[in-house]
Amino acid sequence: MQSRFRSDRRLTVRMGVTLFLLGLLYVAFVAALIVLLKSWVLVVVIAAAALAAQYWFSDRIALFAMHGTVVEPEEHPELHAVVDRLCALADMPKPVVAVSSMDMPNAFATGRNPDNAVVCVTTGLLRRLEPAELEGVLAHELSHVAHKDVAVITVASFLGVIAGLVVRFAFYSELLGGRGRRDQNTFAVFAMVVGVSAAVYAISFLLIRALSRYRELAADRAGALLTGRPSALASALTKVTGDIARIPSQDLRTAQAFNAFYFTPALGSEPGISRFFSTHPPLEQRLAQLGRISAELGEAATPGKAG
């Protein structure tokens, strides 16, 4: 079913290209592991299990990691009312609604498709935002679900998970394996596995970052156009980014693993070089886009304005 969120052809093309390139990388990765480990059964079992877990249980994994709990309308009537209103406006299925006990102000969406999606907000976000700002954030997250880019990011991150699992398995196999004449050969295979896995992780890391930054701009644009209040979303962005920047970096480390899914990244006051590899575009770029949308909507709403 097509939602009323404005489609973004450039986002669709970017998602297709990213999945194609990651697919090629995945095939090369599996082939290299089969050659190095000389056990195609082992490689296929690990890869299939990890992909199934990522695809089918990504929402549960994310909720567990971020201390999220599914809430009913009786528990959070205002939150459910905003989601109900936006879903009706966008003509899309209502996702599961969850609240995380984290004080860090943020929100995220996850799930394999619009019929199996979760939208989660933190208690820190609920406490800090005005109703119009919360609506803007939720419209942003629902656009991720409607555009299906949250599912693409989930699948795309699969390669990084596999690379990490292979490195761990190779490491423990080296520690627990027998010693003797095979030590030198075993170490050589171990080093090659780690090298291949590191290269795959690096390439997938860059591809995911490139897609993620554009999809955040697309979600800002779609959410602002759906609500018709880009200024409310801009206000939420400014407020949330400023509050997160005041949180010590060491307190954000666990949350940073899920930056690709967040409304705004969990970066401390001194992000350093990590800013260049961020999953999100700079705040200034996001605010500039929302400013342009606000001007366009204002011009369109002005009576007697020449078109």
Side-chain angles (χ1 to χ4, degrees):
M1 182 177 67
Q2 184 70 34
S3 76
R4 292 197 183 103
F5 276 106
R6 181 173 295 187
S7 61
D8 192 315
R9 186 175 181 181
R10 287 181 292 177
L11 176 62
T12 303
V13 170
R14 280 171 166 80
M15 290 193 296
V17 171
T18 299
L19 286 178
F20 176 74
L21 293 176
L22 285 171
L24 291 179
L25 185 62
Y26 172 69
V27 171
F29 182 46
V30 170
L33 291 181
I34 290 174
V35 171
L36 292 172
L37 299 179
K38 295 182 174 59
S39 175
W40 69 267
V41 175
L42 175 64
V43 173
V44 169
V45 167
I46 293 176
L51 178 59
Q54 281 282 99
Y55 186 75
W56 292 100
F57 304 112
S58 60
D59 52 347
R60 300 179 194 178
I61 294 171
L63 282 180
F64 176 79
M66 300 314 301
H67 312 290
T69 304
V70 174
V71 295
E72 300 300 328
E74 299 77 18
E75 300 172 87
H76 282 271
E78 297 87 358
L79 176 60
H80 272 271
V82 176
V83 175
D84 285 335
R85 184 166 62 251
L86 289 172
C87 288
L89 188 62
D91 192 22
M92 64 180 289
K94 181 181 179 181
V96 172
V97 179
V99 172
S100 166
S101 59
M102 296 177 64
D103 186 58
M104 178 188 71
N106 227 320
F108 66 89
T110 184
R112 61 186 182 274
N113 56 49
D115 293 314
N116 296 276
V118 176
V119 171
C120 181
V121 297
T122 66
T123 54
L125 188 81
L126 293 175
R127 184 166 56 82
R128 289 172 171 88
L129 296 190
E130 299 297 327
E133 294 170 337
L134 177 63
E135 182 182 63
V137 172
L138 289 171
H140 170 105
E141 294 303 329
L142 288 172
S143 77
H144 282 314
V145 175
H147 288 155
K148 301 182 178 65
D149 57 89
V150 68
V152 173
I153 283 291
T154 298
V155 173
S157 62
F158 160 68
L159 262 180
V161 172
I162 283 290
L165 286 175
V166 168
V167 170
R168 284 190 179 185
F169 180 82
F171 178 74
Y172 287 120
S173 295
E174 173 69 9
L175 287 180
L176 300 176
R179 300 188 178 276
R181 290 182 305 173
R182 295 188 302 170
D183 274 0
Q184 190 171 358
N185 289 336
T186 302
F187 179 78
V189 171
F190 171 76
M192 285 188 287
V193 168
V194 171
V196 169
S197 300
V200 167
Y201 179 82
I203 296 172
S204 62
F205 177 92
L206 294 175
L207 288 173
I208 291 170
R209 266 36 180 197
L211 172 62
S212 183
R213 284 191 289 270
Y214 184 84
R215 86 183 189 107
E216 293 302 330
L217 290 173
D220 285 346
R221 183 165 51 249
L225 291 172
L226 181 73
T227 63
R229 289 191 283 187
S231 60
L233 180 55
S235 176
L237 264 171
T238 303
K239 188 179 293 185
V240 169
T241 302
D243 284 348
I244 290 178
R246 286 190 284 272
I247 300 174
S249 297
Q250 59 267 26
D251 295 339
L252 298 175
R253 283 175 185 165
T254 300
Q256 286 171 354
F258 293 88
N259 269 348
F261 294 91
Y262 283 137
F263 169 63
T264 191
L267 296 176
S269 57
E270 297 180 359
I273 195 172
S274 62
R275 181 179 295 275
F276 297 101
F277 299 102
S278 177
T279 52
H280 293 59
L283 174 63
E284 296 76 14
Q285 185 179 0
R286 298 176 74 175
L287 293 179
Q289 176 183 246
L290 291 171
R292 290 192 297 271
I293 295 173
S294 182
E296 291 168 4
L297 293 178
E299 289 173 356
T302 302
K305 182 87 172 177

